[in-house]
Amino acid sequence: LTSPDILTPQGEIRDNIVTIEWKNSIDSLNHNITYSVFYFKEGNNDTLFLLIANTSSTSITWNTTNISPGIYYIVVVAICDHGLVVTAISSPIEVIKEIATEPTSSFITETSQTVTTTNQEESSITKITSLNSDTFVSGGWQLLVASLAMSIAIFIRKKQK
C-alpha cells in the first residue's frame, strides 16, 4: 500500500475554505482503499480532529472559519479492506486570520469645550473625547501627540492674552 502523500494545502492558509488533496494510494493486490483525514495543532500532537472518515475520494474541503491562527498538520490515513494502514502527515501549515478593519477618515474624534481660567477668561480648547482603534497604528500616536501639543499651545496662548 503506497502512501497518500498530501499535495495541498502547503505553507499558509488565509482563506476560510481550503481544499485538501492527496495522492491516491495504490494497493498491489487491488484491495479497496478508504481514507480518513485528521488535523492537529502544533504543540497538541496527542489530539487529532477528524475531518472525514472512510471516504474513497482523494480530496475534501476544510472549513477553517472556527480554527484559531497557528501551525497545523494534516494527517491522511489510507486503509485497505484487508487492514493494511499507511499514514501521511503534511508539512507545517500556518493558518492566518486577517483582521478586517474599516477605514476611518480621522484618527481622533474631537469636540470643543469651554474652560474657565482663574482670571475668569474663557478659552476654547480641544478635548479628545475618543480614539479609534487605528490611533496607535501606522504612526497614529504621532498624530495624537501633535494634536495634544497643539491644544496645549492654543490654551496657553489664549491664557496669556
Side-chain angles (χ1 to χ4, degrees):
L1 188 60
T2 62
S3 175
D5 295 336
I6 299 165
L7 303 173
T8 63
Q10 294 181 4
E12 296 178 348
I13 295 175
R14 293 181 182 271
D15 298 324
N16 288 331
I17 305 299
V18 178
T19 300
I20 300 173
E21 296 179 290
W22 58 92
K23 288 184 181 178
N24 188 37
S25 291
I26 299 172
D27 185 307
S28 61
L29 300 175
N30 292 324
H31 297 142
N32 289 324
I33 300 169
T34 59
Y35 305 94
S36 294
V37 182
F38 304 85
Y39 72 91
F40 66 91
K41 189 170 186 177
E42 186 172 74
N44 196 14
N45 305 4
D46 57 344
T47 304
L48 293 173
F49 297 94
L50 178 66
L51 293 171
I52 194 166
N54 302 319
T55 182
S56 58
S57 177
T58 57
S59 70
I60 63 165
T61 301
W62 181 23
N63 185 341
T64 64
T65 301
N66 296 321
I67 304 296
S68 62
I71 304 295
Y72 290 83
Y73 295 85
I74 296 169
V75 179
V76 176
V77 179
I79 305 170
C80 80
D81 57 6
H82 285 281
L84 294 174
V85 177
V86 177
T87 303
I89 300 176
S90 71
S91 56
I93 299 165
E94 184 175 10
V95 173
I96 298 173
K97 300 291 181 171
E98 300 293 333
I99 299 172
T101 57
E102 293 186 25
T104 57
S105 59
S106 173
F107 285 111
I108 300 173
T109 303
E110 299 177 347
T111 60
S112 291
Q113 175 182 356
T114 301
V115 175
T116 304
T117 63
T118 54
N119 298 357
Q120 300 300 321
E121 295 175 1
E122 289 191 348
S123 302
S124 293
I125 65 167
T126 302
K127 177 185 173 190
I128 298 172
T129 56
S130 65
L131 305 174
N132 67 35
S133 61
D134 292 334
T135 300
F136 300 101
V137 182
S138 302
W141 63 270
Q142 293 168 331
L143 180 61
L144 173 64
V145 170
S147 178
L148 287 172
M150 186 177 298
S151 295
I152 292 168
I154 291 169
F155 177 74
I156 290 172
R157 206 172 312 131
K158 289 192 177 225
K159 187 176 178 183
Q160 290 173 347
K161 286 184 178 182

